Amino acid sequence: MNRRVLLLGIFLLAGCAAPYHVREATDKFSDPAGPAFYTMSGNAIDYRDPLGAIKTSELNAYVMRARTTGKILGVGVDLFIVSTSPSGGNWLTVRVGDDLVFLADGQRIAVKAVSSSIDHSVTGALGQIYTDRYDYARYPMTVEQIKAIAFAQSIEFKVQGRNGYETFPRMNFKLLDSFMPNLQRFYSEQIEPFL
């Protein structure tokens, strides 16, 4: 009995945090004269499925650095929004130029999407068909903006798309306990040492 309670506790705790992952997105096929690109992955915003069966919305920071000098050439965030509904609903459809607005300790920080895409998947369970719709967008920032966001004591953000908007944290959710620490760690390890 105690073992079951312990396993249940571990399972529940795992759902409250997203692990910290950073990967280099450049490889041997990338332009050797181009920058090295490092990005977070899996930084779930307000929900994480510990089994990985349900895709979750993520906000992942990135940095581009010169290969020879390590000098920072660009920073920003990639936003991946998942909308799940039983047959229906729609994409947010973020377009190039649409806004992502943060309120970081009350300071308004607005950035615009420079790339975007949509995708979907369809699954069925217990006689019900579910459609997952994915919006992806990239938002460049300044180093000062990403630092203000990463180290804010209070953070909210709103992403605008052609079909409306989404605010985070969403109603009836709170930001994951790991969300801000992951952004802070990325800034401290991948950006700050190269300033």
Side-chain angles (χ1 to χ4, degrees), residues 149-164:
I149 291 163
F151 290 95
Q153 298 301 308
S154 163
I155 191 87
E156 297 175 71
F157 54 99
K158 175 181 175 180
V159 58
Q160 186 71 41
R162 183 184 74 201
N163 296 324

Side-chain angles (χ1 to χ4, degrees), residues 9-146:
I10 291 170
F11 178 79
L12 291 173
L13 284 175
C16 296
Y20 176 75
H21 293 291
V22 174
R23 65 182 178 81
E24 182 176 359
T26 44
D27 59 23
K28 66 182 179 181
F29 300 101
S30 300
D31 180 358
F37 189 87
Y38 298 89
T39 183
M40 299 172 71
S41 62
N43 193 32
I45 300 170
D46 57 7
Y47 174 77
R48 178 175 178 270
D49 174 17
L51 300 177
I54 301 171
K55 292 195 179 289
T56 56
S57 297
E58 300 176 7
L59 182 86
N60 295 302
Y62 69 83
V63 62
M64 295 180 290
R65 296 194 300 254
R67 291 181 194 259
T68 53
T69 63
K71 179 182 175 191
I72 293 177
L73 303 174
V75 297
V77 294
D78 291 330
L79 182 62
F80 178 73
I81 298 177
V82 180
S83 303
T84 302
S85 64
S87 57
N90 210 341
W91 286 272
L92 192 56
T93 315
V94 177
R95 301 161 299 180
V96 171
D98 283 343
D99 288 329
L100 172 61
V101 179
F102 292 89
L103 296 178
D105 293 333
Q107 175 189 358
R108 184 177 188 275
I109 300 171
V111 293
K112 295 196 178 294
V114 294
S115 65
S116 64
S117 64
I118 59 172
D119 202 352
H120 76 286
S121 65
V122 178
T123 56
L126 303 172
Q128 181 69 51
I129 295 176
Y130 290 89
T131 303
D132 291 341
R133 290 177 175 80
Y134 314 120
D135 273 276
Y136 165 82
R138 172 162 289 162
Y139 301 89
M141 301 178 162
T142 66
V143 170
E144 293 76 19
Q145 287 172 325
I146 204 163

